[in-house]
């Protein structure tokens, strides 16, 4: 999943206030795997999703720099379904199932990092 290239990182604190930080450096990347690889290789800091760096954080390979802040705006996973008002029951059941699997997997993988 590509991240938008930005020289400004936005965060939200626990009180709900947003903060913007200007960043610069000799390397820029907009691909989560590349960001994770660069951070794990001690090339600097990066802003990446838990999908990319969560396992490295849990293994102690990477340190979360701002644990009390969340990337803002938050990103979501979206299910694309056929247009129309009526969603077939099989589609609704599948979407409910996959949402539950993703939530459980995230808790298992990332636990208190969420």
């Amino acid at each position: 999943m590509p991240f938008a290239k930005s020289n400004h990182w936005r965060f939200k604190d626990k009180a709900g206030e947003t903060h913007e930080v200007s960043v610069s450096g000799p390397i820029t990347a907009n691909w989560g795997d590349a960001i994770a690889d660069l951070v794990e290789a001690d090339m600097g800091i990066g802003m990446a999703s838990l999908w990319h760096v969560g396992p490295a954080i849990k293994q102690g390979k990477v340190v979360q720099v701002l644990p009390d802040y969340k990337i803002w705006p938050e990103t979501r996973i979206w299910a694309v379904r056929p247009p129309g008002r009526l969603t077939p029951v099989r589609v609704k059941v599948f979407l409910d199932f996959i949402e539950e699997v993703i939530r459980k997997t995230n808790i298992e993988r990332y636990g208190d990092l969420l």
Side-chain angles (χ1 to χ4, degrees):
M1 159 184 207
F3 293 86
K5 180 183 174 192
S6 175
N7 293 332
H8 302 281
W9 292 353
R10 293 181 68 202
F11 303 96
K12 185 175 265 194
D13 63 25
K14 289 184 177 183
E17 300 216 17
T18 58
H19 306 272
E20 188 169 307
V21 178
S22 296
V23 295
S24 63
I27 300 173
T28 60
N30 68 347
W31 194 256
D33 291 332
I35 295 167
D37 289 347
L38 289 165
V39 169
E40 282 189 54
D42 254 351
M43 299 296 290
I45 65 171
M47 184 169 60
S49 71
L50 283 178
W51 282 19
H52 293 102
V53 295
I57 292 171
K58 285 188 82 167
Q59 295 168 8
K61 295 179 181 177
V62 171
V63 175
Q64 190 174 11
V65 179
L66 299 170
D68 294 334
Y69 294 80
K70 301 288 183 188
I71 296 171
W72 188 256
E74 290 181 304
T75 55
R76 304 263 186 226
I77 298 173
W78 296 94
V80 179
R81 58 183 177 85
R85 292 181 171 213
L86 297 175
T87 301
V89 173
R90 67 182 178 272
V91 173
K92 172 94 172 89
V93 168
F94 173 74
L95 293 177
D96 290 346
F97 167 76
I98 204 71
E99 180 181 5
E100 182 179 336
V101 168
I102 289 170
R103 285 185 193 280
K104 285 181 180 178
T105 301
N106 285 346
I107 290 168
E108 288 173 13
R109 286 186 181 171
Y110 314 122
D112 59 344
L113 296 175
L114 294 174

